[in-house]
Amino acid sequence: MNNQAKATGSLKNFISLIKTLHWPVAVTAFALLLSLIETVAGLVVPLITKDLVDSFTSELMNWKTGVFLLGLFVVQAIAGGFSYYMLAYIGETVVADLRNQLWQKVLRLPIPYFDQNETGETMSRITQDTTVLKSLVSEHLVSFISGMISIIGAIVILLVLDWKMTIIMLISVPVSMVILIPLGRLMHKVAKATQAEMAKFSGHLGRVLGDIRLVKAYRAEPTEGGKGKTAIQSLFRYGLKEAKIQAVISPIMMLTMMGILVVILGYGGAQVARGALSAGTLVAIIFLLFQIIMPFAQMAQFFTSFQKAVGATERIQGILQMKSEPAMGKFSPQSEGALTFSDVHFSYDPDKHVVNGISFTAGRGTVTAFVGPSGGGKTTIFSLVERFYLPNSGEILLGAVPIKDIPLAEWRGRIGYVSQESPLLSGTILDNIAYGLERRPSIDKIIEAAKAANAYTFIEEMPDQFETLVGERGMKLSGGQRQRIAIARALLHNPEILLLDEATSNLDSGSETHVQEALQHLMNGRTTLIIAHRLATVLHADQLLFLESGKITGRGRHEELLESHDLYREFAAGQGLA
């Protein structure tokens, strides 16, 4: 009963997903019409063949019948060709719409989703699971409908020609169903498990290939090779399970149909010998039998594809039904002023608090630096400011307005972020500097930002200058070059709030001087938060907050903390600043 409920739920999910997709209605209707014409032509052929065979016994063969039969074949071929193209068009349209829905959804999923799910698994949902649905729509769905019409039409004609033979044939249908229905349920389980295993394998591939330098640096090829081999063998075993089920389904159907054919040939031959049936009628019956056998064989493939599509739909619906990041706040307030954390608590896991009751105010136009040992919660504070996560309790405000009430896109548009390992996307230097802007600014503004970030000199020296390809994750550039492009990007966005995570740590001493000047210019009049491991970069901050285990244990200027905070004094002494 539980399995039956699950199957019903899966089918409902599948139907509800199909309803949400953009179907080209006119093309679908025309494809069905052509498919119907092809089917009807196929059903008429046996009747014409009957007259043609019977006319062999007469003195003069009816040549008009032969021409009409040839015309039917031509109509069937043309209708079949156009129908095939239109079905492919429908399948591609539907899967494009579904992939677009999934892609737009994935882009708007909150960061915790990406913390819990591997990138490769998500990619598998968008690529492989949607392809399974496309296969069902373009290759099997309309052929299933036309097959049903063909079977019903053939049975009706057979009943007219010889109802006894038809009854003999129909007895085999419930017998086949008793065998096929349990096999279909088993196929659903296997197909679902195969797709899940494929998603895991894709996740493994994405993780390893994304960090291939790490793999090679630590000679981990044998380890990763072993893990990949295990996953491939698992897929191999699931593939064999699928093959075993198919190996039972197909022969059962063919054996049933061939058995019927033998019975009908024997019975029909006896009828012809007695003169109770004409030779043409027997030939027509055999032709009509094949009109049933072929769609019946195709139904086995449809059944398999349908079970796979239902399994894929469950995973696709799982993503589509997830809660997206809130696109808008409750209203769009005119908010400005200090950035305030008011008794903010946050934890990734219920047992471990990362931010534990933090309160501070970063005044407009001031610089607030976070210092302290690793694991103190500095990066998490930045994530909370960017609203990648929401506090478990407490509030973050801009002026008097909670930031959660500001539309998300507008809020993030006010923030510029430069991290210690500033990521670049594959593409050109120009693409990366202007990344995220709705309208690309003029080249003069881009050059101005590059100069201010001390990036223009090395860009100008490159053969393709701003059109230089940076490679995957910017690996064709040095760490310092990547950092300066990220700073140029932040300058171009002209943010109100600036988040700097050791933004100058990867620069050589010569470049650092120029970039520090650019950052000082950028920070002027803006609320700036800095994560600092090197105290020398934040000695002139308006306030330093010392974080330990998610709590602020010291606050003040450099000189004040030297006097009042023992651990800060140790940090400063270790860096020669005490």
Side-chain angles (χ1 to χ4, degrees), residues 87 92 122 227-228 286 292 301 312 334 367 385 450 470 513-514 518:
L87 289 174
E92 293 295 343
T122 305
K227 288 179 183 175
I286 292 167
I292 294 170
Q301 294 177 346
Q334 293 298 315
V367 177
V385 171
V470 301
T513 305
H514 295 293

Side-chain angles (χ1 to χ4, degrees), residues 23-35:
W23 287 80
V25 179
V27 177
T28 305
F30 196 49
L32 279 169
L33 178 64
L34 287 174
S35 196

Side-chain angles (χ1 to χ4, degrees), residues 451-455 457-458 478 480-481 483-484 487 503-504 506-519:
K451 283 180 177 176
N454 197 32
T457 305
F458 79 77
S478 70
Q481 289 171 336
Q483 203 75 339
R484 282 176 274 175
I487 292 167
T504 60
N506 287 337
L507 302 180
D508 56 63
S509 56
S511 297
E512 184 176 358
T513 305
H514 295 293
V515 174
Q516 282 286 12
E517 288 174 8
L519 288 174

Side-chain angles (χ1 to χ4, degrees), residues 28-50:
T28 305
F30 196 49
L32 279 169
L33 178 64
L34 287 174
S35 196
L36 186 62
I37 291 168
E38 184 187 5
T39 305
V40 170
L43 289 171
V44 173
V45 166
L47 298 177
I48 304 300
T49 308
K50 170 182 172 294

Side-chain angles (χ1 to χ4, degrees), residues 260-282:
I260 294 167
L261 184 61
V262 170
V263 169
I264 284 175
L265 278 171
Y267 174 76
Q271 293 287 82
V272 171
R274 287 210 324 262
L277 200 68
S278 71
T281 304
L282 180 60

